[in-house]
């Protein structure tokens, strides 16, 4: 709550506590930068890197005190002969305000890990690394009563990609004016003053170690520098910023939801969605068909072929959707099924170390380091591209993947080093084949990401819980992802796990999703807001809220695209936590549920059921207009309390901007009236059947 006392972690003006005694044994590297916050006790604008070590099977070895230096504008390196006979080289290269640290050994064949610590202050704030709120089982991020939010202080985070909320980057920023980016893909660990309140611990596996330390007088510079270093981020086509619709599993049914017989030619649930959205006036630019869409049980993914019983006239359906300005997206995964599975196993294309699960799920995964194996898998994806598919959801790249044992990839790397690298290899392989067929006119959306992923795709938040805490976790996830260099992100509106489909949670989630770059609406359980498995099954309120926010999201296409271009060019994300724009305000660090969407729109999603008010911090230096009450203008630099009914997301526009959101109150009344009238599916079905028959007959 904003009313309680908060630590003074204002960016660039942190008050430090003195750390008594030597922080760690061994050498100490002191990095000096005027961008770092200075303390009142004389330690100056410095970072202390201490306790440098390496590990072998024989244990941990701390580097000697002779490997010490004070480093500011000049690069430095030093070597030391260790008692185990190896030579250790420590190098620090300077690049303006930034530093690059390298730890190397000769020989290095038996080194398993490197590490160090950085001094921590009692009021320091850390964020980045992962989209999940807390490490461990993903459901812990939406546990009932959770209070952890953007700040990682007090947490230990394993730097290994876990399913299914799986967006990671070995990058964190501190409120003290620095950020760390660990290079490479080996697994590691960050400890943010959990084991020792005075130290951040960083440990990474592998025969060598390299990390960058960025310093800046504002956190936005840290974020931009890393994003370009690790990217630059992928630039999506403009149609990505339209509203999306999906179901988890499409079934071919003889009747629509209201009992109307299906006579038109395509999958009944696809037609039901598209025809009703058009009738309600709900725009839709991407239609997403998840697994299963191919033959074969139980996964429906054999040989990249379309199951014509489930999806009749698929190629014609894609053209029909194109005629409605809607692209087709299909689910894919990095494994083989059907005859391709037999061929892949016979040719040695499978990922080493993987054992077949009893149900065959995610097996066999393709060894993407093998050019022939990769090309064989890409040939399957090409079949779908030839049918006109414009986008793919890249699932399963981080699930059931082997990461321990003596196994090697085709290119000689260990499966341990491959564990984090695989998600980016999977994405890049798909990118390469998609660009061959579609140039730049495609979208790839994996749920897993690590360094190397950002230039090739956009991302979604995995199998999030469909509870109020799941929505809370998604509000944090979009901001963490933005900070890590993944500016284009969306979540499964209403959630995926724990599919409660509660009206309040879904309604609030629709408003939130409209102000993320990807607005993708399910919900799961293969239903829509007109046939929910609870009362009211025909939910007029949710249909109206969906219409309201889908239309608003559609009106923001050019705005979203503009800031996506900025993200690609400069590294500044589309979604901006308040501390990126007002870092000297304590409220900007505490009010984590409020963020900027681009430069001119401020949103403050409500996640708690029954809540009808919200505390919103308005960034200083501007005035802000309430989108729901346009005559209300507030000076920035203050926290206000606003009322917000279920259909209202607290929403403000920067005074002086060119953003036009329209009359939201009038559109809400129109949406309620339209949602209350059930469309005539019999007539809509007949019109589509006639269109198809005329097309078939060449008319």
């Amino acid at each position: 709550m904003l009313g309680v006392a908060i630590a003074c972690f204002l960016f660039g003006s942190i008050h430090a506590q003195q750390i008594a005694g030597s922080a760690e044994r061994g050498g100490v590297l002191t990095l000096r930068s005027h961008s770092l916050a200075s303390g009142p006790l004389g330690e100056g604008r410095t970072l202390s890197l201490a306790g440098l070590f390496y590990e072998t099977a024989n244990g941990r070895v701390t580097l000697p005190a002779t490997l010490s230096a004070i480093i500011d504008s000049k690069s430095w390196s030093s070597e030391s002969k260790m008692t185990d006979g190896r030579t250790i080289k420590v190098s620090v290269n300077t690049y303006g305000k930034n530093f690059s640290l390298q730890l190397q050994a000769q020989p290095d064949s038996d080194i398993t890990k490197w590490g160090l610590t950085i001094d921590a202050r009692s009021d320091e704030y850390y964020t980045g690394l992962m989209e999940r709120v807390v490490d461990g089982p993903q459901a812990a991020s939406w546990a009932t009563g959770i209070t952890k939010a953007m700040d990682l202080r007090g947490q230990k985070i394993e730097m290994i990609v876990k399913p299914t909320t799986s967006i990671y980057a070995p990058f964190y920023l501190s409120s003290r004016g620095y950020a760390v980016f660990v290079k490479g893909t080996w697994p590691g660990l960050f400890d943010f003053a959990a084991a020792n309140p005075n130290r951040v611990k960083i440990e990474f596996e592998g025969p060598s170690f390299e990390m960058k330390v960025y310093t800046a007088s504002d956190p936005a510079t840290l974020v931009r520098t890393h994003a370009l270093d690790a990217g630059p981020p992928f630039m999506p086509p403009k149609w990505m910023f339209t509203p999306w619709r999906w179901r988890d599993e499409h079934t071919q049914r003889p009747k629509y939801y209201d009992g109307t017989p299906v006579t038109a030619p395509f999958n009944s649930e696809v037609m039901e969605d598209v025809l009703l959205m058009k009738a309600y006036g709900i725009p839709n630019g991407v239609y997403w068909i998840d697994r299963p869409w191919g033959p074969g049980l139980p996964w429906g993914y054999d040989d990249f072929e379309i199951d014509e019983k489930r999806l009749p006239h698929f190629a014609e359906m894609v053209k029909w959707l194109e005629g409605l300005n809607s692209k087709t997206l299909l689910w894919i995964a990095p494994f083989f099924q059907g005859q391709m599975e037999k061929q892949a196993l016979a040719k040695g294309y499978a990922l080493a170390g993987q054992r077949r699960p009893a149900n065959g799920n995610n097996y066999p995964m393709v060894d993407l380091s093998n050019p022939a194996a990769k090309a064989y898998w890409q040939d399957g994806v090409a079949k779908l591209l030839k049918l006109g598919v414009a986008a793919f959801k890249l699932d399963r790249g981080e699930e059931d993947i082997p990461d321990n044992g003596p196994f090697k990839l085709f290119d000689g790397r260990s499966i341990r080093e491959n564990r984090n690298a695989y998600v980016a290899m999977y994405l890049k392989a798909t990118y390469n084949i998609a660009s061959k067929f579609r140039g730049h006119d495609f979208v790839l959306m994996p749920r897993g990401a690590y360094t190397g992923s950002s230039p090739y795709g956009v991302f979604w938040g995995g199998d999030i819980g469909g509870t109020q805490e799941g929505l809370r976790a998604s509000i944090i996830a979009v901001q963490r992802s933005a900070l890590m260099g993944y500016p284009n992100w969306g979540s499964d509106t209403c959630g995926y796990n724990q599919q409660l489909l509660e009206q309040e949670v879904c309604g609030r989630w629709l408003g939130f999703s409209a102000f993320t770059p990807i607005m993708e609406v399910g919900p799961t359980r293969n239903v829509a807001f007109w046939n929910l498995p609870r009362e009211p099954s025909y939910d007029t309120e949710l249909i109206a809220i969906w219409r309201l926010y889908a239309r608003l999201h559609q009106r923001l296409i050019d705005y979203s695209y503009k800031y996506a271009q900025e993200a690609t060019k400069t590294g500044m994300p589309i979604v901006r936590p308040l501390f990126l724009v007002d870092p000297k305000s304590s409220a900007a660090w505490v009010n984590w549920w409020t963020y900027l969407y681009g430069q001119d729109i401020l949103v403050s999603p409500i996640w708690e059921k029954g809540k009808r008010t919200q505390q919103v911090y308005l960034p200083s230096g501007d005035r802000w207009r309430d989108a729901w009450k346009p005559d209300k203008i507030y000076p920035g630099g203050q926290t206000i309390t606003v009322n917000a009914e279920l259909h209202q997301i607290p929403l403000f526009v920067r005074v002086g901007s060119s953003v036009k959101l329209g009359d939201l109150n009038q559109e809400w009344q129109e949406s309620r009236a339209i949602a209350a009238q059930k469309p005539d599916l019999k007539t809509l079905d007949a019109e589509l059947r006639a269109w198809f028959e005329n097309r078939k007959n060449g008319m």
Side-chain angles (χ1 to χ4, degrees), residues 360-372:
N361 190 26
N362 300 336
Y363 179 87
M365 298 181 79
V366 56
D367 182 348
L368 292 167
S369 77
N370 181 339

Side-chain angles (χ1 to χ4, degrees), residues 333-354:
F335 56 83
F336 300 107
Q337 298 274 274
Q339 293 301 311
M340 291 185 77
E341 174 183 348
K342 297 176 183 178
Q343 290 293 320
L345 291 173
K347 294 179 179 180
Y349 289 168
L351 197 61
Q354 190 185 25

